[in-house]
Amino acid sequence: MEFGILGPLLVRDDRGEELVISSTRLRILLASLLLKHNTLVPATDLLETVWDGRPAAKARATLSSYVMRLRKKLGPDSAKRIRTLPTGYLISVADDEIDLRRFLMLSAAGRQAAAHENWELASDTLTNALRLWRGETLADVPSESLRHSECHRLQETRLQTIELWAESCIRIGNGAVAVAELQRLTEEHPLREQSWKHLMNALAETGRSAEALHAYQRLRETLADELGSDPSPPLQRLYHQILTPGSSPPTDDEPQIPGSPQVTAMSGDTQSAGKFTPNPLPPAPPHFTGQASQIEDIVGRLTDNRHDVPLVTVSGPPGAGASTLVAHVTHRLSQEFKDGVLYADLGGAASRTHAALKSFLQALAPAGLELPVHPVLQKRLCRSLFAGRHCLVVLDNPADTMDVRDLIPAEPGNAVLIASWGRLTALPGAYNVELAMLPPDESLALVAKNIGRDRLLAEPEAAAALIDFCGGLPLALQSVAAKLAARPHWRLVDLISSLQRDRADVDQWHLSGLEVRSSFDVRYAMLSESQQTLFKLLSNLDVDDFTLTTAGIVLGDSASRVSQDLETLVDVNMLSSPAPGRYAFHTLLREYAQGLSRNTADTTLSSRALHRLFRHEISQLQLVSDVLLPEDAIGTLARPHPFSCGETAQQWFGDQLQLLMNMLHHGVGAEDADGLDLTTFCELLQRLLVLTDHWEHLQTTGNR
């Protein structure tokens, strides 16, 4: 189903037809449950809301009647969706079934992108978030209680999202699209200085400085009339900067107009460098642990720069810590390069490369040198300025290979270190470091630095289970370690029990800025629609790895067409490829993908895909049986891929055994498939298990 509360109340069934709920109190009841979906809403709260603070004497019994009527209205499966609990009611809604949840997810992903200064991704993500709003929250649900308790809170979240969207537009030089929305916002909320700041920036960026100054005057008059105060110091500085172009920039942390990527120059000889944007390098990681061999390898390669320019790229799955490792190495090497470190956070946006190039020129050029305007001449000058120097160039989150080529020096003595979301496979001469998951001993060491080794040794089995659950992913390990450090009285066994109970709830990993889900969301948002579909469908196989052929059958397309999407998923580290033609998920990424696929449409799509795969696997299994058990050959099934000998048949059976057992366990394809039913499948599987000495699986097939 589909539910909408960001505007008039909206309910659509699985066929996409809108359900009309005419009863006012039923609408209030449904809205109350949806606003706190997947959370218990106490009956006492519902009584106050449905009757708007004046419940009747027999309202409790009437409330139960309303719940029954609402279930009937929503359809036959609503009894499972709306649950009656001892103290209240709960409505279960998947992430993709309600606009509120989608809005909050996209807003969080947008904030995460903005925090990493990936302003293009932030702009796109927040645009999609704001498109979900169809008007005032629950505009046609007449409940003052809901408006005061919930709708005002949602409206504030929306306003903050609009302001961040406007800032992201300005940051990428597209402030003109935000002007109209900011003008409306300042009219409706004239005391929000953040909105006025963005409006002034957007107007100034688009050459409308006079209007920006006029906007400031209007704000000053409004504040004087309403509050008897002046605009804040940052707004006063912004006003003077627009009034007198070329004046000193703001002295606090407010962004300059229109904003540039983080670039820093560190040099022992600061007199030889020109002006540069004085943003600091990322801080050195306080509890950095692991990857010791990779670090020594990187350091050795970067410092061997006498005869060429070493170029090292570091990538890994989301949460693997590529940027963190690069920050650690950069601080370690900062004194090794006498002419300093040039650092730029490109934020995954190709549009920021030119701004980084200009900042590099400002850092390298001698004082008084007039910089060329034409981009080609700027690139040539930048390369020439690296001659005779010993600089380390550090680039974080480039969009692709073309995004970094113009920033790489060609003169020996310099070196380049890049942290990338995906593999920069087309970068000539690059040495690629693919971050693996931390082994158990390094995982334990990382957690121990946060909570102490004694606490781990006190519960060795729970500690081992916790390490195994995190799968060696540094961000997940840091998250659970931070959670335990903030709760010194918690037992490890309690935390691991909670994590194992709600495995797919990646939101529970958020603490102190360690947003595992947001890290996954940002990478997932970079995928095309077909790649996202493939990512979700394949997660439901629930196997250690799978083949290209299997992926093609799951998607219902040829292996050659699916191959490109699979390789892209590998390149951006959402999948790994342990061998040619085989692919695998990291444990937490698989559970994240499974959580994404729990809406009705994806469930139906996944069910069809798994049944399609079952029909293929069962026909292949019969072919294997014909080769390995010729005395039992049925010979009635099609043979699209006959096995040439017993060795290849046995190899296929071993490779596919985990998938076959999972299908058996979940009862996939229980109906007849090409004339071979599940009972026959079990019997055939048992014989092959005995023949190939896989005795450990026999009890499962027998129970089935």
Side-chain angles (χ1 to χ4, degrees), residues 117-118 261 344-350 352-353 356 395-399 403-404 407:
E117 297 200 4
N118 187 347
D345 183 355
L346 301 176
R352 304 187 66 187
T353 305
L395 306 174
D396 200 0
N397 293 328
D403 200 27
V404 300
L407 304 175

Side-chain angles (χ1 to χ4, degrees), residues 688-701:
L688 290 171
L689 289 171
V690 172
L691 181 68
T692 56
D693 293 333
H694 288 97
W695 300 92
E696 69 275 13
H697 296 300
L698 282 175
Q699 184 176 358
T700 300
T701 58

